[in-house]
Amino acid sequence: MRMNRILVIRGGAIGDFILTLPALKALRDAFPRAHIEILGYKHIAALAENRFYAQVVRSIEYRPLSSFFARNSELPAELRNYFASFDLIISYLYDPDQIFENNLHRCGVENLRGGPAKIVESTGHAARQLARPIEDLGVRIADLSEKVFPSIEDRKFALDFLSGFQEPIVAIHPGSGSKEKNWPLENWIALFSTDGGFPAIGKGASLIVISGEADKAQTEQLEREWKNRDVRFAKNLPLPHLAALLEHSIFIGHDSGISHLAAAAGANCILLFGPTDPNV
């Protein structure tokens, strides 16, 4: 089977994308010379662009793509030719009425494989479920661990950010995608704050606080609380830069996409599960 050009369509949140990396790794290993592209959310899929998995990442939010989600719509010639240029397309889009699938076939796409758009908790680990379209190609997937591969530029950013910091580096992410999952902020403050410094991380260790847009209020409170301490705040970093920053850290966080990223980057992780079922 000729596999010169492969397209993987993968939306979803950070954790969803990272859980798909074992499948992408198996695809890359099986077809090392193939040109692989990912159609997804660019700020997330950037983790894979020219970082082992794919040569190109394109935005799923490209406006002309909307025609592919309507029945019998007029499909732009540019996109018809684009999709038809691939020898294999694997789509993880939620497409219960097969509208997107039928529109791809209208473009001349013949080899289309669908992955699970939603994870079913009773049918095995999420990474295993997401790997099934690759296994259906006859590719065996022995390793389901998530891995990211920061670039030279990503690692240079991390070195500059950590300049002057002593190891070990302890990185904490007090937020998550859901307030209900979060350990109360006062507990984070109590764990890391005394008059003498940060006893929880040991003498000479360095502390980084990771935050995104959803963590703004928490971050501002921690900045006030620790304004006289040598703490660095990694705010809204591009995910590839954040992965490089976490690569050799001790990471403490919740059930979140950033925790998936930390584990995939190689950090030693301590994860706090509140209402989340740890078996899931």
Side-chain angles (χ1 to χ4, degrees):
M1 186 184 298
R2 186 169 63 97
M3 289 292 178
N4 293 331
R5 287 175 55 81
I6 300 171
L7 175 66
V8 178
I9 305 173
R10 181 56 166 139
I14 297 170
D16 301 320
F17 184 81
I18 293 175
L19 280 164
T20 317
L21 291 180
L24 293 177
K25 185 176 187 304
L27 194 64
R28 169 52 74 203
D29 288 342
F31 306 105
R33 293 187 174 87
H35 175 88
I36 298 179
E37 296 195 12
I38 296 174
L39 184 63
Y41 295 112
K42 285 205 73 169
H43 70 288
I44 298 175
L47 287 165
E49 187 173 26
N50 292 317
R51 294 170 176 87
F52 175 74
Y53 294 101
Q55 285 91 339
V56 177
V57 165
R58 300 186 190 275
S59 176
I60 203 168
E61 297 174 293
Y62 182 51
R63 182 171 292 180
L65 271 172
S66 61
S67 60
F68 280 77
F69 297 92
R71 292 184 191 276
N72 303 315
S73 60
E74 184 176 346
L75 305 175
E78 166 210 1
L79 290 174
R80 291 174 69 103
N81 294 334
Y82 173 72
F83 287 122
S85 71
F86 291 98
D87 303 307
L88 169 68
I89 296 178
I90 298 171
S91 175
Y92 291 94
L93 292 182
Y94 182 62
D95 187 28
D97 299 320
Q98 299 180 308
I99 295 173
F100 183 79
E101 177 183 339
N102 289 332
N103 281 328
L104 287 184
H105 288 313
R106 288 173 59 199
C107 298
V109 173
E110 296 179 359
N111 195 1
L112 173 64
R113 307 292 175 110
K118 294 186 176 181
I119 299 303
V120 180
E121 295 174 0
S122 60
T123 58
H125 194 283
R128 172 61 67 192
Q129 294 182 53
L130 293 165
R132 281 176 190 150
I134 314 301
E135 292 180 320
D136 289 344
L137 295 169
V139 177
R140 182 175 175 271
I141 302 179
D143 183 7
L144 287 174
S145 59
E146 308 159 358
K147 294 183 178 70
V148 292
F149 302 95
S151 68
I152 293 171
E153 291 77 15
D154 299 331
R155 290 191 171 111
K156 183 180 184 305
F157 170 86
L159 282 173
D160 291 342
F161 186 97
L162 296 171
S163 178
F165 252 23
Q166 295 185 60
E167 293 187 348
I169 305 295
V170 177
I172 66 172
H173 179 220
S176 73
S178 168
K179 187 177 180 181
E180 289 71 29
K181 293 181 181 180
N182 295 350
W183 204 34
L185 192 63
E186 57 267 25
N187 290 3
W188 289 97
I189 293 170
L191 177 64
F192 288 102
S193 296
T194 69
D195 292 338
F198 296 113
I201 63 174
K203 186 176 180 181
S206 303
L207 183 63
I208 296 171
V209 179
I210 297 163
S211 65
E213 289 292 342
D215 310 317
K216 186 175 180 181
Q218 293 168 307
T219 304
E220 289 175 349
Q221 186 173 342
L222 290 176
E223 285 180 314
R224 290 192 297 270
E225 188 74 29
W226 293 335
K227 63 182 178 181
N228 297 321
R229 305 283 176 84
D230 188 12
V231 180
R232 295 188 190 174
F233 288 81
K235 301 179 187 177
N236 304 316
L237 293 183
L239 294 179
H241 286 178
L242 183 55
L245 197 62
L246 293 171
E247 198 169 13
H248 302 294
S249 73
I250 298 166
F251 174 83
I252 309 175
H254 303 112
D255 173 24
S256 73
I258 298 301
S259 293
H260 276 286
L261 180 64
N268 292 303
C269 298
I270 301 168
L271 304 181
L272 309 175
F273 286 80
T276 308
D277 181 349
N279 289 325
V280 174

